[in-house]
Each structure stands twice: as C-alpha cells, then as structure tokens.
Amino acid sequence: MTKSFLKPRLWTVVGLVAVGGLLRVAVDWRLLARSLTYPDRPITSADWYQPQQKVAGVGPQAPPLAKAETTEIPQDALQTALEFAEAQNSVALLVMHRDRLVVEQYWQGQTATDLVNSMSMVKTLLALLIGVAIDEGHIGSVQDPVGTYLPEWANDPRGDITIADLLYMQSGLRNDDRTDTLRSDLVQLYGGSDAQKLALSIPLEDQPGQQFDYNNVNSQLLSLVLERATGESFGDYLSRRLWQPLGAGDGFLWLDRPGGHAKPFCCFFATASDWVRLGQLLLHDGQVNGTQVIPSEWIEQMRQESPLEATFGLHLWLKARTSAYPQVNRASSAPFAADTFYLDGRHHQRVYVIPSEELVIVRIGEDPPAWNDAVIVNAIVEGLRDRQEN
C-alpha cells in the first residue's frame, strides 16, 4: 500500500449506498466504516487495525538489543542523520553497527515497546518465507506456475503466471491503484472484507513477464500460494519459521474480517527494534546467532535484479530510486554510497542493510514532507569511511 487510503465524505458514502442497486455495487459495510475512520497517523495507530492475529515471537517483548559503548561513526554524521529523520516526521531511528546498537532515538511520544505498522515492508517477510517453503519442499521453485497451487486458476490463463512473476512484480494483472473511489481494487483490497476473493478476481491485462508494475495484488496472491503450499496460515508460518527464530517479540497481522485472511501486502505490527533484528538476519545471510533461519542461497537470489527493473529484486529494493530509474517513484537525490539494499513501506518506513559497512539502519515514521533516501544512509556511510581512512 503506497498511497493514502480513501477517506470519503459521509455524503459520498450515503450516495453510493443509495444508488448501489443501480450500480450493482455490493455494499461492504466494513470497507465503508474503515474508510470513514481511517487514522490520520496510520503508522503509529496500531490499535485502529482490527481484527488482528497474533504472530507469536519469543514473548510480548524481545530482549533488548546489544548496545555499543562507543562507535566509530563520527558524531557529526550521526547528528546529520538524526536531524534529517526528526525533520521528516519520524518516530524512530535506530542504527546497528557491527552487531551493536549505536543509535536508538524516538520522537513524538513513541517508545521502544510501541508497535508500528510496517506497511509494505511486510512484503519482504513474505518473500523470505517463500524461500523457506522452497527449502522445505512445499514449493518446487519460483518458476512454478501459480495454477499449481491455486485450483481456481488451474484452467485459466492467469494460472500460467509464475511465482517469480509475482515476486518480481511482473504478473500482468490489472493494477487499479486509485484511492479516490471505493470501487478501486486497491481500496477494496486494503479495507475490504475478503482480500483473497478480491485478489483471485483480478483479471489479466498484459502478458506476464513483460513489464514491471508494482501491484499489491501480487503479494496478496503470493501469500495465498504460500498458504496453499504449506497448509498453514501466513501468520502461523511466519511465527514458526521466521519470527520466533529471529528472537523477536510478538507481532500482529491485520485481518480482513474476524477469522479471515491476513494482508501480507501491507500490514504487520512490530517494534522498531524487531525490524532491526530482521535487518540483522539479512546482513548475516539468513543467520541468527549462528543458526541458519533462511537459506543463504535464497537471500542471494532475493538480491538479484529483476530482469525488468534494476532497483528491484524478489520483493526487496536494491538501489536508490533516483531519476535514472523512470519506472519507479523517485525517492532519492543520489545513489547510495555503499552496497545498500532495503525494505520499503508506505510513508518511507525503511530497513536499510549495508553489508560492506556492517550496518543496519531503521527509520519509522509518518508521512514526511521531503523524503530523500540518500541523506541518512550516505551521511553515516561517508562519515564512517572518512573516519576509517583517517
């Protein structure tokens, strides 16, 4: 979910309901209620997202991260990062260097134990679990057609879409991401009562594998493939195969309705420090405290460029999105100063991983006035390199 959720005026909703029969629009009262009450601060208003499913970690709260007494990163570089983060409506900035926390700053009343919405950063968790399912033999490979796992599409051209097509955002499925109408696919997927039914109804508009098109429906379908292949809900599989081994505290998924489906394209609730743990797992090629949680070969595969978009891998962003890459929304004034890859969520939630410098940087916050990916990463990396050279 990369745009604001629709918040229509009451008279618009009343009008829609009144003419619903004429327009043949099935009224989804949960969608209407959610659109009218959507919070002004969607990242930190975790309680608004109901109902939720707990994703069990090691307990309500994970043990604190190890902290460094000193750091090689110059204070002026850290200050640049902190000042930019604060000016950009952030609620948290955490920096981990060589497995030790060197910055942990919160703003706007946020605390270390508060849950925040990951938005699209959860997509990367989904991709990690696809790798686990392949390793366990539940899924053959990323080249499997999704019709193998979705009988609804077994005799449908959409069944020929591969798992790789979904991961690379090149499925060819319709991408109706309007946010000014309750009838759009994105608004119904985000706020409606049956995310899986909606995702399975999306028609094919282009040949798969021909065009990069960032489409949230791809991720929702990918989660359905994962559930059908493993026989477990996304939340249960996430807990058992990633979140508990990670050593994270309890997380939560937003369900479309009581007893319904999770939305792995948009909405997972965890603390900022648990996102640091996830970054550390990626930094260490899938290992946590010497235990291989995610196959290292899969992490390497996730970091390979899409054949159609150089900034994107398997549900993972690989480069700063500058004007050099016209297919994606620009978010950076300059390339990264080092080998950075990252998780991206709406309103610029970030987990930056910089292997060459043994760095993980997490930024959490609400909608920023003037975001620039280059500032935090490059200030810290360049400051660290200057210190090492001198």
Side-chain angles (χ1 to χ4, degrees), residues 5-17:
F5 182 41
L6 179 67
K7 293 183 68 176
R9 297 181 184 274
L10 181 59
W11 64 264
T12 303
V13 174
V14 171
L16 177 62
V17 173

Side-chain angles (χ1 to χ4, degrees), residues 165-371:
D165 289 330
L166 297 179
L167 285 165
Y168 279 136
M169 296 288 182
Q170 57 187 35
S171 67
L173 291 167
R174 183 177 69 196
N175 190 6
D176 177 7
D177 61 356
R178 295 171 296 160
T179 57
D180 59 354
T181 170
L182 289 172
R183 300 185 68 186
S184 83
D185 294 339
L186 179 58
V187 168
Q188 291 185 48
L189 186 69
Y190 188 70
S193 296
D194 198 334
Q196 302 292 38
K197 181 179 179 181
L198 187 282
L200 287 167
S201 75
I202 302 301
L204 198 63
E205 289 194 336
D206 296 300
Q207 240 352 74
Q210 300 300 306
Q211 181 177 347
F212 174 84
D213 189 14
Y214 189 93
N215 187 344
N216 289 284
V217 169
N218 292 331
S219 303
Q220 191 66 36
L221 288 166
L222 197 61
S223 71
L224 183 54
V225 168
L226 181 69
E227 291 183 337
R228 298 282 179 82
T230 63
E232 296 186 52
S233 73
F234 174 71
D236 289 345
Y237 199 62
L238 172 60
S239 170
R240 186 172 66 86
R241 304 304 291 140
L242 177 57
W243 211 242
Q244 289 186 40
L246 189 63
D250 294 342
F252 296 85
L253 289 162
W254 187 27
L255 302 182
D256 52 13
R257 63 186 184 280
H261 299 290
K263 303 175 186 182
F265 71 93
C266 76
C267 306
F268 178 61
F269 305 91
T271 63
S273 59
D274 282 340
W275 285 108
V276 172
R277 289 182 171 87
L278 193 281
Q280 287 287 107
L281 174 140
L282 293 169
L283 180 69
H284 294 298
D285 296 322
Q287 285 193 5
V288 177
N289 296 324
T291 299
Q292 199 72 45
V293 175
I294 307 294
S296 60
E297 297 84 359
W298 180 247
I299 303 286
E300 182 179 356
Q301 190 170 350
M302 288 177 63
R303 293 182 58 190
Q304 299 303 307
E305 292 179 10
S306 154
L308 300 174
E309 176 50 54
T311 65
F312 200 68
L314 297 177
H315 269 36
L316 187 68
W317 292 94
L318 307 178
K319 299 180 181 181
R321 304 202 298 271
T322 66
S323 57
Y325 303 103
Q327 288 196 92
V328 293
N329 293 327
R330 182 177 177 182
S332 185
S333 64
F336 291 129
D339 53 341
T340 304
F341 61 94
Y342 63 104
L343 286 65
D344 174 9
R346 177 187 171 222
H347 291 342
H348 303 290
Q349 315 316 308
R350 290 289 191 268
V351 176
Y352 300 107
V353 181
I354 305 120
S356 64
E357 303 300 331
E358 299 178 78
L359 278 165
V360 171
I361 304 169
V362 170
R363 181 269 174 185
I364 303 294
E366 301 293 349
D367 195 9
W371 186 256

